[in-house]
PDB file of all heavy atoms in Angstrom:
ATOM      1  N   CYS A 298      -7.302   3.113  -5.436  1.00 97.00           N
ATOM      2  CA  CYS A 298      -7.394   4.126  -4.366  1.00 97.00           C
ATOM      3  C   CYS A 298      -8.846   4.547  -4.197  1.00 97.00           C
ATOM      4  O   CYS A 298      -9.626   4.512  -5.159  1.00 97.00           O
ATOM      5  CB  CYS A 298      -6.613   5.381  -4.736  1.00 97.00           C
ATOM      6  SG  CYS A 298      -4.908   5.070  -5.200  1.00 97.00           S
ATOM      7  N   GLY A 299      -9.174   5.004  -2.997  1.00 96.00           N
ATOM      8  CA  GLY A 299     -10.471   5.630  -2.724  1.00 96.00           C
ATOM      9  C   GLY A 299     -11.648   4.756  -3.106  1.00 96.00           C
ATOM     10  O   GLY A 299     -11.704   3.552  -2.813  1.00 96.00           O
ATOM     11  N   THR A 300     -12.586   5.358  -3.797  1.00 97.00           N
ATOM     12  CA  THR A 300     -13.793   4.642  -4.218  1.00 97.00           C
ATOM     13  C   THR A 300     -13.454   3.419  -5.070  1.00 97.00           C
ATOM     14  O   THR A 300     -14.084   2.372  -4.947  1.00 97.00           O
ATOM     15  CB  THR A 300     -14.700   5.624  -5.004  1.00 97.00           C
ATOM     16  OG1 THR A 300     -15.241   6.555  -4.064  1.00 97.00           O
ATOM     17  CG2 THR A 300     -15.820   4.930  -5.719  1.00 97.00           C
ATOM     18  N   SER A 301     -12.440   3.554  -5.914  1.00 98.00           N
ATOM     19  CA  SER A 301     -12.070   2.425  -6.780  1.00 98.00           C
ATOM     20  C   SER A 301     -11.561   1.252  -5.930  1.00 98.00           C
ATOM     21  O   SER A 301     -11.773   0.084  -6.271  1.00 98.00           O
ATOM     22  CB  SER A 301     -10.996   2.853  -7.776  1.00 98.00           C
ATOM     23  OG  SER A 301     -11.476   3.885  -8.587  1.00 98.00           O
ATOM     24  N   ILE A 344      -7.756  -0.708 -10.762  1.00 98.00           N
ATOM     25  CA  ILE A 344      -9.056  -0.063 -11.007  1.00 98.00           C
ATOM     26  C   ILE A 344      -8.865   1.440 -10.824  1.00 98.00           C
ATOM     27  O   ILE A 344      -8.354   1.888  -9.793  1.00 98.00           O
ATOM     28  CB  ILE A 344     -10.134  -0.558 -10.013  1.00 98.00           C
ATOM     29  CG1 ILE A 344     -10.178  -2.082  -9.980  1.00 98.00           C
ATOM     30  CG2 ILE A 344     -11.502   0.005 -10.389  1.00 98.00           C
ATOM     31  CD1 ILE A 344     -11.162  -2.647  -8.964  1.00 98.00           C
ATOM     32  N   SER A 345      -9.302   2.215 -11.810  1.00 97.00           N
ATOM     33  CA  SER A 345      -9.171   3.663 -11.694  1.00 97.00           C
ATOM     34  C   SER A 345     -10.138   4.347 -12.654  1.00 97.00           C
ATOM     35  O   SER A 345     -10.082   4.114 -13.860  1.00 97.00           O
ATOM     36  CB  SER A 345      -7.733   4.075 -12.047  1.00 97.00           C
ATOM     37  OG  SER A 345      -7.636   5.469 -12.115  1.00 97.00           O
ATOM     38  N   GLN A 346     -11.012   5.157 -12.088  1.00 96.00           N
ATOM     39  CA  GLN A 346     -11.943   5.912 -12.939  1.00 96.00           C
ATOM     40  C   GLN A 346     -11.173   6.730 -13.958  1.00 96.00           C
ATOM     41  O   GLN A 346     -11.416   6.660 -15.147  1.00 96.00           O
ATOM     42  CB  GLN A 346     -12.815   6.800 -12.029  1.00 96.00           C
ATOM     43  CG  GLN A 346     -13.830   7.693 -12.728  1.00 96.00           C
ATOM     44  CD  GLN A 346     -13.269   8.959 -13.314  1.00 96.00           C
ATOM     45  OE1 GLN A 346     -13.541   9.267 -14.482  1.00 96.00           O
ATOM     46  NE2 GLN A 346     -12.475   9.692 -12.577  1.00 96.00           N
ATOM     47  N   SER A 347     -10.234   7.544 -13.457  1.00 93.00           N
ATOM     48  CA  SER A 347      -9.511   8.469 -14.334  1.00 93.00           C
ATOM     49  C   SER A 347      -8.469   7.761 -15.182  1.00 93.00           C
ATOM     50  O   SER A 347      -8.124   8.212 -16.266  1.00 93.00           O
ATOM     51  CB  SER A 347      -8.797   9.510 -13.481  1.00 93.00           C
ATOM     52  OG  SER A 347      -7.846   8.881 -12.637  1.00 93.00           O
ATOM     53  N   GLY A 348      -7.936   6.664 -14.659  1.00 93.00           N
ATOM     54  CA  GLY A 348      -6.844   5.973 -15.348  1.00 93.00           C
ATOM     55  C   GLY A 348      -5.525   6.724 -15.262  1.00 93.00           C
ATOM     56  O   GLY A 348      -4.569   6.418 -15.967  1.00 93.00           O
ATOM     57  N   THR A 350      -4.292   7.914 -11.900  1.00 92.00           N
ATOM     58  CA  THR A 350      -3.929   8.078 -10.495  1.00 92.00           C
ATOM     59  C   THR A 350      -2.476   7.634 -10.259  1.00 92.00           C
ATOM     60  O   THR A 350      -2.097   6.500 -10.581  1.00 92.00           O
ATOM     61  CB  THR A 350      -4.917   7.267  -9.622  1.00 92.00           C
ATOM     62  OG1 THR A 350      -6.205   7.804  -9.892  1.00 92.00           O
ATOM     63  CG2 THR A 350      -4.617   7.376  -8.161  1.00 92.00           C
ATOM     64  N   THR A 353      -1.721   4.400  -8.257  1.00 96.00           N
ATOM     65  CA  THR A 353      -2.123   3.178  -8.964  1.00 96.00           C
ATOM     66  C   THR A 353      -1.131   2.887 -10.096  1.00 96.00           C
ATOM     67  O   THR A 353      -0.750   1.725 -10.324  1.00 96.00           O
ATOM     68  CB  THR A 353      -3.569   3.331  -9.494  1.00 96.00           C
ATOM     69  OG1 THR A 353      -4.381   3.789  -8.409  1.00 96.00           O
ATOM     70  CG2 THR A 353      -4.122   2.023 -10.019  1.00 96.00           C
ATOM     71  N   VAL A 396     -16.619  15.492  -8.383  1.00 91.00           N
ATOM     72  CA  VAL A 396     -15.417  14.909  -7.783  1.00 91.00           C
ATOM     73  C   VAL A 396     -15.764  13.616  -7.031  1.00 91.00           C
ATOM     74  O   VAL A 396     -14.994  12.661  -7.033  1.00 91.00           O
ATOM     75  CB  VAL A 396     -14.726  15.950  -6.861  1.00 91.00           C
ATOM     76  CG1 VAL A 396     -13.722  15.288  -5.937  1.00 91.00           C
ATOM     77  CG2 VAL A 396     -14.007  16.991  -7.719  1.00 91.00           C
ATOM     78  N   ALA A 397     -16.915  13.594  -6.393  1.00 95.00           N
ATOM     79  CA  ALA A 397     -17.330  12.380  -5.681  1.00 95.00           C
ATOM     80  C   ALA A 397     -17.826  11.359  -6.705  1.00 95.00           C
ATOM     81  O   ALA A 397     -18.787  11.599  -7.440  1.00 95.00           O
ATOM     82  CB  ALA A 397     -18.431  12.712  -4.688  1.00 95.00           C
ATOM     83  N   SER A 398     -17.152  10.245  -6.728  1.00 96.00           N
ATOM     84  CA  SER A 398     -17.431   9.234  -7.739  1.00 96.00           C
ATOM     85  C   SER A 398     -18.751   8.517  -7.455  1.00 96.00           C
ATOM     86  O   SER A 398     -19.005   8.093  -6.331  1.00 96.00           O
ATOM     87  CB  SER A 398     -16.275   8.242  -7.716  1.00 96.00           C
ATOM     88  OG  SER A 398     -16.264   7.506  -8.875  1.00 96.00           O
ATOM     89  N   GLN A 405     -17.779   0.207 -12.252  1.00 98.00           N
ATOM     90  CA  GLN A 405     -16.602  -0.619 -11.888  1.00 98.00           C
ATOM     91  C   GLN A 405     -17.080  -1.964 -11.337  1.00 98.00           C
ATOM     92  O   GLN A 405     -16.500  -3.013 -11.619  1.00 98.00           O
ATOM     93  CB  GLN A 405     -15.758   0.100 -10.833  1.00 98.00           C
ATOM     94  CG  GLN A 405     -14.901   1.226 -11.398  1.00 98.00           C
ATOM     95  CD  GLN A 405     -14.321   2.130 -10.329  1.00 98.00           C
ATOM     96  OE1 GLN A 405     -14.682   2.050  -9.156  1.00 98.00           O
ATOM     97  NE2 GLN A 405     -13.420   3.021 -10.727  1.00 98.00           N
ATOM     98  N   LEU A 480     -17.609   7.334   2.868  1.00 98.00           N
ATOM     99  CA  LEU A 480     -16.685   8.203   2.118  1.00 98.00           C
ATOM    100  C   LEU A 480     -17.460   9.297   1.375  1.00 98.00           C
ATOM    101  O   LEU A 480     -17.066  10.469   1.372  1.00 98.00           O
ATOM    102  CB  LEU A 480     -15.870   7.368   1.116  1.00 98.00           C
ATOM    103  CG  LEU A 480     -14.889   8.174   0.247  1.00 98.00           C
ATOM    104  CD1 LEU A 480     -13.756   8.767   1.079  1.00 98.00           C
ATOM    105  CD2 LEU A 480     -14.295   7.317  -0.873  1.00 98.00           C
ATOM    106  N   LYS A 481     -18.596   8.915   0.765  1.00 97.00           N
ATOM    107  CA  LYS A 481     -19.390   9.926   0.031  1.00 97.00           C
ATOM    108  C   LYS A 481     -19.798  11.051   0.981  1.00 97.00           C
ATOM    109  O   LYS A 481     -19.715  12.225   0.644  1.00 97.00           O
ATOM    110  CB  LYS A 481     -20.664   9.309  -0.576  1.00 97.00           C
ATOM    111  CG  LYS A 481     -20.471   8.417  -1.754  1.00 97.00           C
ATOM    112  CD  LYS A 481     -20.068   9.106  -3.039  1.00 97.00           C
ATOM    113  CE  LYS A 481     -18.585   9.301  -3.166  1.00 97.00           C
ATOM    114  NZ  LYS A 481     -17.768   8.282  -3.720  1.00 97.00           N
ATOM    115  N   GLU A 484     -16.734  13.244   1.980  1.00 96.00           N
ATOM    116  CA  GLU A 484     -16.178  14.060   0.888  1.00 96.00           C
ATOM    117  C   GLU A 484     -16.979  15.318   0.620  1.00 96.00           C
ATOM    118  O   GLU A 484     -16.424  16.374   0.398  1.00 96.00           O
ATOM    119  CB  GLU A 484     -16.202  13.250  -0.429  1.00 96.00           C
ATOM    120  CG  GLU A 484     -15.141  12.226  -0.554  1.00 96.00           C
ATOM    121  CD  GLU A 484     -15.139  11.622  -1.951  1.00 96.00           C
ATOM    122  OE1 GLU A 484     -16.130  10.950  -2.321  1.00 96.00           O
ATOM    123  OE2 GLU A 484     -14.167  11.825  -2.687  1.00 96.00           O
ATOM    124  N   ALA A 599      -9.449  16.572  -5.408  1.00 77.00           N
ATOM    125  CA  ALA A 599      -9.203  16.684  -6.844  1.00 77.00           C
ATOM    126  C   ALA A 599      -9.823  15.484  -7.531  1.00 77.00           C
ATOM    127  O   ALA A 599      -9.919  14.406  -6.948  1.00 77.00           O
ATOM    128  CB  ALA A 599      -7.721  16.710  -7.116  1.00 77.00           C
ATOM    129  N   LYS A 600     -10.251  15.671  -8.762  1.00 77.00           N
ATOM    130  CA  LYS A 600     -10.915  14.578  -9.471  1.00 77.00           C
ATOM    131  C   LYS A 600      -9.936  13.488  -9.857  1.00 77.00           C
ATOM    132  O   LYS A 600     -10.229  12.312  -9.749  1.00 77.00           O
ATOM    133  CB  LYS A 600     -11.613  15.124 -10.720  1.00 77.00           C
ATOM    134  CG  LYS A 600     -12.412  14.083 -11.490  1.00 77.00           C
ATOM    135  CD  LYS A 600     -13.590  13.573 -10.672  1.00 77.00           C
ATOM    136  CE  LYS A 600     -14.337  12.453 -11.346  1.00 77.00           C
ATOM    137  NZ  LYS A 600     -15.207  11.733 -10.391  1.00 77.00           N
ATOM    138  N   VAL A 602      -6.071  12.233  -9.113  1.00 78.00           N
ATOM    139  CA  VAL A 602      -4.951  12.551  -8.225  1.00 78.00           C
ATOM    140  C   VAL A 602      -3.662  12.087  -8.900  1.00 78.00           C
ATOM    141  O   VAL A 602      -3.212  10.956  -8.730  1.00 78.00           O
ATOM    142  CB  VAL A 602      -5.176  11.898  -6.829  1.00 78.00           C
ATOM    143  CG1 VAL A 602      -4.057  12.287  -5.884  1.00 78.00           C
ATOM    144  CG2 VAL A 602      -6.512  12.353  -6.275  1.00 78.00           C
TER     145      VAL A 602
HETATM  146  C1  AGP B   1     -14.151   9.217  -4.998  1.00 79.09           C
HETATM  147  O1  AGP B   1     -15.347   9.818  -4.633  1.00 79.09           O
HETATM  148  C2  AGP B   1     -12.967   9.985  -4.690  1.00 79.09           C
HETATM  149  N1  AGP B   1     -13.029  11.313  -5.134  1.00 79.09           N
HETATM  150  C3  AGP B   1     -11.609   9.326  -4.741  1.00 79.09           C
HETATM  151  O2  AGP B   1     -11.561   8.502  -3.626  1.00 79.09           O
HETATM  152  C4  AGP B   1     -11.242   8.491  -6.004  1.00 79.09           C
HETATM  153  O3  AGP B   1     -12.036   7.363  -6.078  1.00 79.09           O
HETATM  154  C5  AGP B   1      -9.753   8.114  -5.912  1.00 79.09           C
HETATM  155  O4  AGP B   1      -8.978   9.282  -5.924  1.00 79.09           O
HETATM  156  C6  AGP B   1      -9.318   7.201  -7.019  1.00 79.09           C
HETATM  157  O5  AGP B   1      -9.431   7.803  -8.270  1.00 79.09           O
HETATM  158  P1  AGP B   1      -9.379   6.970  -9.600  1.00 79.09           P
HETATM  159  O6  AGP B   1     -10.537   6.028  -9.603  1.00 79.09           O
HETATM  160  O7  AGP B   1      -9.484   7.987 -10.713  1.00 79.09           O
HETATM  161  O8  AGP B   1      -8.074   6.233  -9.625  1.00 79.09           O
END
Side-chain angles (χ1 to χ4, degrees):
C298 307
T300 289
S301 299
I344 309 177
S345 172
Q346 179 280 131
S347 62
T350 300
T353 310
V396 164
S398 198
Q405 283 167 350
L480 179 67
K481 288 289 86 87
E484 283 188 295
K600 184 66 185 164
V602 183

